[in-house]
Amino acid sequence: MGFQDTPEEWQVTASVTPFTGNKTSVRTDDVVMPDGSVHSRDYQVHPGSVAVLALDDEGRVLVLRQYRHPVRHKLWEIPAGLLDIPGENPLHAAQRELYEEAHVKAEDWRVLTDVYTTPGGCDEAVRIFLARDLSEAEGERFAVSEEEADMEEARVPLEDLARGVLAGDLHNNCLVVGVLSLTAALAGDGVDSLRPADAPWPARPFEA
C-alpha cells in the first residue's frame, strides 16, 4: 500500500526490569531521542496474545462475559489468551483458546487483523482470527477456574455488536477491533480477501 507502519529501534543506553510477574514484567529503558537527549520509558513486557472472532452460520458472534479486575467491569469479549510458549504458532494457540473457553472448534480460519493494544505503555501484540464453520468440540469441556469459572456465553448478531461498540456499550479491545474489522471486510472486498491463517506475523515470529 505504501502507507504502513515500519519497524524502527532507537538506541537504548540502559535497561532495567524492576518488576517481574507471573506472565508479564515491567521494563525501564533509557532511550536516545532524535535531539540526542536521553529519557526513560517505562512499559509492560508482554508475551503476546491471540483472539478469535467466531462467526456461526447465522451471522452471530460467539462472545463471553468475564470480570476484569483492573477496570472493575464485567466485559463482553471474544475468546482470547496468551501466547504462553515462545515461538508458539498463533493459530494453534487460537484453536486451543476457542476449545478451552467455549468448547467449540472451527474448520475455516483466517487472519482478521493484527494490533498493538497499547503501544505507548506495553509491547503486547495481538493477532485476531476469524473462525467459521463452527461445531461443538468433542470430549469433556475444559475445566475452568478463577475469573473464568464465572464466565457467561452468548451468540450475538454481528450487526448488534457493531451498534453496541459505536454506542459506547462494549469496550473490550479485541471485541471492538474484531467486530469493526469484520464489518469493514464484509462491506469491502469480502472475507475471501483476508490473509490466510498462517500469514507471517513480524511482531511475534512463529514456527509453522
Side-chain angles (χ1 to χ4, degrees), residues 54-69:
L55 187 71
D56 69 16
D57 293 339
E58 298 178 35
R60 301 176 303 173
V61 177
L62 190 157
V63 291
L64 306 167
R65 189 168 181 245
Q66 184 172 349
Y67 176 66
R68 295 300 187 182
H69 186 71

Side-chain angles (χ1 to χ4, degrees), residues 66-88:
Q66 184 172 349
Y67 176 66
R68 295 300 187 182
H69 186 71
V71 295
R72 308 311 199 264
H73 269 70
K74 271 192 171 182
L75 301 179
W76 284 106
E77 308 179 349
I78 57 177
L82 297 175
L83 290 168
D84 296 309
I85 304 170
E88 182 178 17

Side-chain angles (χ1 to χ4, degrees), residues 70-118:
V71 295
R72 308 311 199 264
H73 269 70
K74 271 192 171 182
L75 301 179
W76 284 106
E77 308 179 349
I78 57 177
L82 297 175
L83 290 168
D84 296 309
I85 304 170
E88 182 178 17
N89 187 305
L91 174 60
H92 299 165
Q95 292 169 332
R96 179 188 69 234
E97 293 300 330
L98 185 60
Y99 163 73
E100 292 183 356
E101 295 193 351
H103 201 64
V104 166
K105 63 180 181 179
E107 298 302 322
D108 185 82
W109 290 83
R110 300 169 190 268
V111 174
L112 189 52
T113 191
D114 299 324
V115 294
Y116 291 114
T117 55
T118 49

Side-chain angles (χ1 to χ4, degrees), residues 146-195:
E146 300 174 8
E147 289 93 343
E148 293 183 352
D150 188 51
M151 281 197 310
E152 304 169 46
E153 181 180 325
R155 296 196 181 196
V156 182
L158 177 67
E159 296 82 0
D160 291 351
L161 292 176
R163 292 189 192 97
V165 168
L166 298 179
D169 296 330
L170 299 169
H171 307 90
N172 175 264
N173 183 288
C174 291
L175 183 146
V176 169
V177 173
V179 164
L180 297 185
S181 294
L182 180 56
T183 300
L186 293 172
D189 296 329
V191 171
D192 289 340
S193 68
L194 295 173
R195 288 171 290 161

